[in-house]
Amino acid sequence: MKQLKLAAIAVIFLLGSISCQEEEVAQPMSNEQIDQEVLAENLLVELDELTEEGIDFQLDLLKSGGADRLFLNDNCPVITYDKTSNPRKMILDFGTGCVGRDDKTRSGKIIITSSAFENLTLERVKTFENFIVEGKKIEGKIIKKITLNRENLSRVAEIKEDIKVTFEDNTVLTRKANLTREQIFGIPGVRADNETKTWGEVITTRPSGATITKTIAEATPLLFKASCKQIVSGIVAFSNGDVSWTIDYGTGECDNTATVTRDGESRTVKLKK
């Protein structure tokens, strides 16, 4: 009888523990945590644009139009291209820190591999070595499979992210994403005229164990304008258990803002601090 009582107490304790954990995970995010999600989204689209610019520059597609570069300076980052490795390797080395044309300070390395960079429709894999941008550290792997649509001057990529973003306050976001990203080219040779649309699903795990699911519908994709290096429109739907909210990036203006709405209340957040 005593053993049965002890077993019953153990089960009650276990169920109570699980219930507390579920309650903790389902807690709504603070405004500061939501701001971090907004900053991370813009940061990762920007990272994709930066690496594509670095690849194009190394392949001699931008050297005649340096004034149109959006991120790269003449001497930063230092780009090396190893054509003898298998797969081939391209490294963007920002050293101990340098300021890009967008006035952001970056340090460390972005390492990109592909079987052939000159073929614009192959898979590219990005990894990072002590890479930090404006105090935010990025680690992990991003896989990008590209197809080219010459008819409408666009390039579509399927992207898988498995990364960590560490913010200045040491908060770590673990991010797994399956995205579709379409790069739309404007005037030939004018990089600032390009736009990028992104849609798909992102699952973020916070230090507390809370798992946040972000859904971006193809009908309302995130639109990133190269001219202002910002997401300027699109809607993200968030869910965490029974808690849900949205972020609306606007109607296409480069205003550095997005609107967070939850529980019927809205507030404005900045995309760049």
Side-chain angles (χ1 to χ4, degrees), residues 36-97:
Q36 288 178 339
E37 292 283 348
V38 174
L39 291 170
E41 201 66 56
N42 201 79
L43 176 66
L44 288 161
V45 181
E46 179 185 272
L47 175 67
D48 192 31
E49 293 291 315
L50 180 149
T51 53
E52 289 299 319
E53 183 175 306
I55 292 169
D56 289 349
F57 180 81
Q58 184 62 31
L59 297 179
D60 209 17
L61 299 180
L62 292 180
K63 290 182 181 178
S64 60
D68 192 48
R69 281 180 269 153
L70 304 177
F71 301 98
L72 308 179
N73 279 319
D74 293 336
N75 299 313
C76 177
V78 175
I79 304 176
T80 58
Y81 182 17
D82 185 354
K83 298 181 180 180
T84 63
S85 63
N86 186 19
R88 295 182 178 182
K89 182 184 297 183
M90 195 176 294
I91 298 175
L92 280 61
D93 189 348
F94 296 86
T96 58

Side-chain angles (χ1 to χ4, degrees), residues 122-137:
L122 291 183
E123 180 177 287
R124 296 172 181 173
V125 178
K126 288 192 281 284
T127 55
F128 309 91
E129 185 177 309
N130 297 319
F131 179 67
I132 299 173
V133 50
E134 293 290 286
K136 303 167 188 65
K137 185 175 184 179

Side-chain angles (χ1 to χ4, degrees), residues 110-122:
I110 302 174
I111 302 164
I112 316 162
T113 58
S114 178
S115 58
F117 283 97
E118 290 79 6
N119 187 333
L120 299 179
T121 61
L122 291 183

Side-chain angles (χ1 to χ4, degrees), residues 56-222:
D56 289 349
F57 180 81
Q58 184 62 31
L59 297 179
D60 209 17
L61 299 180
L62 292 180
K63 290 182 181 178
S64 60
D68 192 48
R69 281 180 269 153
L70 304 177
F71 301 98
L72 308 179
N73 279 319
D74 293 336
N75 299 313
C76 177
V78 175
I79 304 176
T80 58
Y81 182 17
D82 185 354
K83 298 181 180 180
T84 63
S85 63
N86 186 19
R88 295 182 178 182
K89 182 184 297 183
M90 195 176 294
I91 298 175
L92 280 61
D93 189 348
F94 296 86
T96 58
C98 62
V99 180
R101 294 194 178 208
D102 58 349
D103 295 325
K104 287 190 175 183
T105 301
R106 299 176 176 85
S107 60
K109 297 177 182 179
I110 302 174
I111 302 164
I112 316 162
T113 58
S114 178
S115 58
F117 283 97
E118 290 79 6
N119 187 333
L120 299 179
T121 61
L122 291 183
E123 180 177 287
R124 296 172 181 173
V125 178
K126 288 192 281 284
T127 55
F128 309 91
E129 185 177 309
N130 297 319
F131 179 67
I132 299 173
V133 50
E134 293 290 286
K136 303 167 188 65
K137 185 175 184 179
I138 300 177
E139 304 171 87
K141 179 187 291 186
I142 300 174
I143 301 173
K144 183 175 184 178
K145 295 182 179 180
I146 304 170
T147 58
L148 189 65
N149 189 330
R150 298 184 185 279
E151 293 182 2
N152 63 357
L153 295 177
S154 71
R155 186 161 56 186
V156 178
E158 298 300 321
I159 295 174
K160 292 184 180 296
E161 296 177 352
D162 188 356
I163 63 171
K164 292 181 179 180
V165 180
T166 303
F167 287 85
E168 296 91 331
D169 63 357
N170 291 321
T171 297
V172 180
L173 300 185
T174 301
R175 174 181 165 112
K176 296 181 183 292
N178 288 284
L179 302 168
T180 300
R181 184 164 291 150
E182 180 182 15
Q183 188 176 26
I184 303 165
F185 304 102
I187 300 172
V190 180
R191 198 171 192 88
D193 199 38
N194 295 347
E195 296 180 343
T196 302
K197 293 180 179 179
T198 302
W199 62 92
E201 184 178 81
V202 180
I203 297 176
T204 303
T205 304
R206 302 194 64 85
S208 65
T211 300
I212 314 300
T213 300
K214 301 195 294 186
T215 304
I216 309 161
E218 185 175 356
T220 54
L222 300 184

